Amino acid sequence: MIGKLNHVGVATPSIEQSVALYRDVLGATKIGEKFAMPEQGVWVCFVDLPNSQIELIEPHGDASPLKSFLEKNPAGGQHHICFEVEDIEAARDDMQAKGATVLNGGKPRIGAHGTPVIFVHPKNMGGVLVELMETPKKAH
Ligand code: CO
């Protein structure tokens, strides 16, 4: 049921500084505009790679869930990995049936790609916060 690796989420205290790192040090050439997702409490910026993306995330607002992460990791760090799934509700039901804790009470939210996502608690995923994202439907 697990599909493609869609992106790796990287928390940063400054998207601008991280963009400079990916662009100037690593040589990334396709970097999107920074945009806010206030309901998630994050600023987001995608760095496009040939086979995947890096999702840079910076706290947005005082209630940002990233704040405690950055208190523990002041320089930023790898925050989550995101895999695509065909059907987010089926994936959620499957995770819960297998005893995993799905954040937000199991309710999918619209993620940065405009498709529904869920997060599975790291305690059930070998210490990794896992985002599952419904594969964007391609126009036919
Ligand atoms: Co993500």
Side-chain angles (χ1 to χ4, degrees), residues 7 55 80 82 119 131:
H7 63 264
E55 179 188 52
H80 65 273
C82 177
F119 285 89
E131 178 180 10

Side-chain angles (χ1 to χ4, degrees), residues 63-111:
S64 175
L66 280 184
K67 279 198 147 184
S68 59
F69 183 91
L70 287 173
E71 276 162 23
K72 288 179 219 135
N73 307 276
Q78 197 228 298
H79 182 262
H80 65 273
I81 55 177
C82 177
F83 302 109
E84 295 183 14
V85 295
E86 282 290 311
D87 178 327
I88 200 70
E89 285 175 1
R92 185 265 324 274
D93 293 348
D94 186 49
M95 289 295 106
Q96 290 179 331
K98 289 169 178 165
T101 298
V102 178
L103 304 188
N104 196 36
K107 226 174 133 252
R109 292 201 280 195
I110 298 302

Side-chain angles (χ1 to χ4, degrees), residues 4-132:
K4 283 185 188 167
L5 173 69
N6 183 276
H7 63 264
V8 176
V10 173
T12 172
S14 162
I15 281 180
E16 284 76 13
Q17 282 177 27
S18 290
V19 163
L21 175 67
Y22 281 85
R23 184 190 56 218
D24 302 337
V25 180
L26 287 168
T29 54
K30 286 185 69 184
I31 299 175
E33 293 294 320
K34 169 178 169 175
F35 61 96
M37 296 194 69
E39 285 166 24
Q40 257 77 309
V42 291
W43 290 97
V44 181
C45 177
F46 283 105
V47 178
D48 289 354
L49 309 175
N51 66 338
S52 193
Q53 290 181 307
I54 302 298
E55 179 188 52
L56 300 172
I57 45 178
E58 177 187 322
H60 180 288
D62 285 337
S64 175
L66 280 184
K67 279 198 147 184
S68 59
F69 183 91
L70 287 173
E71 276 162 23
K72 288 179 219 135
N73 307 276
Q78 197 228 298
H79 182 262
H80 65 273
I81 55 177
C82 177
F83 302 109
E84 295 183 14
V85 295
E86 282 290 311
D87 178 327
I88 200 70
E89 285 175 1
R92 185 265 324 274
D93 293 348
D94 186 49
M95 289 295 106
Q96 290 179 331
K98 289 169 178 165
T101 298
V102 178
L103 304 188
N104 196 36
K107 226 174 133 252
R109 292 201 280 195
I110 298 302
H113 290 85
T115 68
V117 304
I118 57 171
F119 285 89
V120 185
H121 199 286
K123 72 185 177 189
N124 307 120
M125 289 286 139
V128 177
L129 177 60
V130 170
E131 178 180 10
L132 298 177

